[in-house]
Amino acid sequence: MAGHIPGAAVELRTREREFRGAMDNRENEQQGEQNGGAVSDLHEAFVARLLEWAMDRTDIEAVVRTGSRARRDGKVDALSDHDIELYTTEPDRYREGTDWLGELGEISVAVGLEGPWDNPAHLVFFADGLKADFQVVSVEQLHDLAENGLDELHERGYELLLDRGDWGRKLPAAKGSAPEPDMPSEDEFQELCAEFWHEIAHLPRYLARGELWVVKARDWTTKELLQTMIEWHAQGRFGPGHDVWHLGTGMRAWAAPGVWERLHDVFAAFGPEDSLRAARATADLFAELAREVADGQGFTYPEAAERAIRPTLDRLPSLEPQRHPLGPRSSCGRPTPRWGG
């Protein structure tokens, strides 16, 4: 029949159109590097391999990239990784086996985890030094984003690398910033302050015992609590729309003036003397910021907790049991008589 195109040819042409469309999305890619903004052949080659691989998988309906390479906020450098979401009709297919990762490049190390949507996740360092984090997600999640709006991650920015379901039209456009966070309630503020003073009170005790590894573990908890207070303080200073980032990313830029410079003092070497010095610096910075947050929000700062705990950071305690000034005491509470000539 004149004009008849065999089915295989139709499929091939369809795949070619999809591939060309996906690659057209890459034309304006501006992945800046520290060498003056040159486009990285390494990263472009990875994206090309990824798209070619995805085109051969009929279960994959969309490939989405998030993170700094999708936000286009000027924070990409040569070490920035690729945060990739593979939206598929068969997510469990990628839960156990990792052979498919090897099709994208030689692997140095790969770690399998449970993702934020109870999905398979794979964090990969490739042999060429490139890092990519893969979230393999049910396509139903795309329907949810389209119907109920973007979550915080995608609201910051996302990029459709491959679109087989017209998701570019269905999904809302990203605002380029996270939703405005809520300031803490009075109860949340009091709870965090109590946890901080409780945690930091342990440090002199473990230092006196020489448990330096345990000190580092407990000390990191105080740093996480301090980070939360730094976030609240910045939002209180600049307004609830002030954008702070997870894990302290970009803190030099978003923390209130002077905070970053003081953070140099809150970290210590391994020894007991420097650890105690850093604990004092941590406590003093936390207390100062917490008071400002309390004043701004109309909260009550727990002065009693600070008065009780802060002086214990001035010196290491003795491991010797304390003796009563009047001598040993009997079971009835009276001093035991001292006999002898």
Side-chain angles (χ1 to χ4, degrees):
M1 179 183 299
H4 174 70
I5 302 176
V10 172
E11 180 182 355
L12 178 59
R13 293 187 181 185
T14 300
R15 290 181 59 220
E16 287 176 346
R17 285 197 302 271
E18 291 175 338
F19 185 75
R20 285 197 302 270
M23 295 308 296
D24 286 344
N25 291 334
R26 316 300 312 128
E27 289 183 356
N28 296 322
E29 180 76 7
Q30 296 178 355
Q31 297 174 342
E33 290 189 349
Q34 293 174 331
N35 63 358
V39 175
S40 168
D41 291 339
L42 173 68
H43 293 282
E44 286 298 326
F46 167 75
V47 172
R49 287 197 309 274
L50 173 65
L51 293 179
E52 186 174 9
W53 172 86
M55 292 299 301
D56 286 332
R57 300 265 177 153
T58 58
D59 62 291
I60 294 180
E61 187 161 330
V63 178
V64 173
R65 182 163 63 178
T66 60
S68 59
R69 291 188 178 275
R71 290 194 302 270
R72 310 294 180 85
D73 55 7
K75 296 180 180 178
V76 172
D77 57 37
L79 303 180
S80 297
D81 61 7
H82 294 261
D83 298 297
I84 302 296
E85 297 172 355
L86 304 174
Y87 288 91
T88 172
T89 56
E90 303 177 53
D92 288 338
R93 174 181 178 183
Y94 302 88
R95 189 173 296 277
E96 299 298 336
T98 58
D99 291 346
W100 61 275
L101 291 170
E103 298 174 19
L104 300 175
E106 182 182 352
I107 296 173
S108 292
V109 62
V111 176
L113 300 172
E114 192 77 8
W117 302 286
D118 295 326
N119 60 283
H122 300 276
L123 317 183
V124 184
F125 273 100
F126 291 98
D128 55 12
L130 184 144
K131 180 178 184 289
D133 296 344
F134 297 92
Q135 303 289 340
V136 185
V137 189
S138 170
V139 71
E140 294 302 319
Q141 181 65 23
L142 275 180
H143 288 282
D144 183 70
L145 293 173
E147 294 174 4
N148 300 317
L150 302 179
D151 53 24
E152 178 176 341
L153 172 65
H154 296 90
E155 199 69 87
R156 289 186 181 277
Y158 68 91
E159 181 181 16
L160 269 168
L161 300 180
L162 178 63
D163 183 4
R164 281 174 162 160
D166 198 21
W167 295 105
R169 181 182 61 81
K170 299 174 185 176
L171 291 171
K175 296 178 180 178
S177 62
E180 291 188 5
D182 295 327
M183 289 296 289
S185 65
E186 171 87 24
D187 288 343
E188 290 169 333
F189 175 80
Q190 295 294 342
E191 182 179 343
L192 186 128
C193 288
E195 187 176 358
F196 175 84
W197 290 111
H198 176 268
E199 284 297 323
I200 208 164
H202 288 86
L203 300 188
R205 296 168 178 250
Y206 284 110
L207 286 169
R209 295 170 179 156
E211 297 286 1
L212 302 181
W213 187 272
V214 179
V215 167
K216 290 299 183 186
R218 304 299 293 248
D219 178 59
W220 184 245
T221 300
T222 71
K223 298 303 189 284
E224 291 177 322
L225 298 168
L226 173 62
Q227 177 190 325
T228 299
M229 191 60 69
I230 292 172
E231 293 170 354
W232 290 348
H233 179 263
Q235 290 162 350
R237 174 74 66 89
F238 300 112
H242 185 64
D243 199 2
V244 299
W245 289 73
H246 73 293
L247 297 178
T249 302
M251 186 184 290
R252 185 199 297 264
W254 58 254
V259 170
W260 179 262
E261 290 73 19
R262 291 180 63 179
L263 293 178
H264 292 276
D265 295 328
V266 307
F267 292 95
F270 198 53
E273 293 80 8
D274 201 49
S275 294
L276 201 59
R277 176 206 57 76
R280 292 192 293 269
T282 301
D284 292 343
L285 178 58
F286 180 91
E288 180 179 323
L289 299 181
R291 282 193 179 89
E292 289 191 31
V293 171
D295 290 344
Q297 300 299 313
F299 299 158
T300 300
Y301 175 71
E303 298 283 355
E306 181 183 348
R307 285 196 302 268
I309 302 303
R310 176 58 181 81
T312 68
L313 306 178
D314 290 335
R315 63 187 60 85
L316 295 180
S318 172
L319 295 179
E320 296 296 324
Q322 294 184 352
R323 297 184 179 276
H324 192 276
L326 297 180
R329 304 187 72 82
S330 66
S331 60
C332 62
R334 299 190 184 94
T336 301
R338 297 180 182 273
W339 306 102

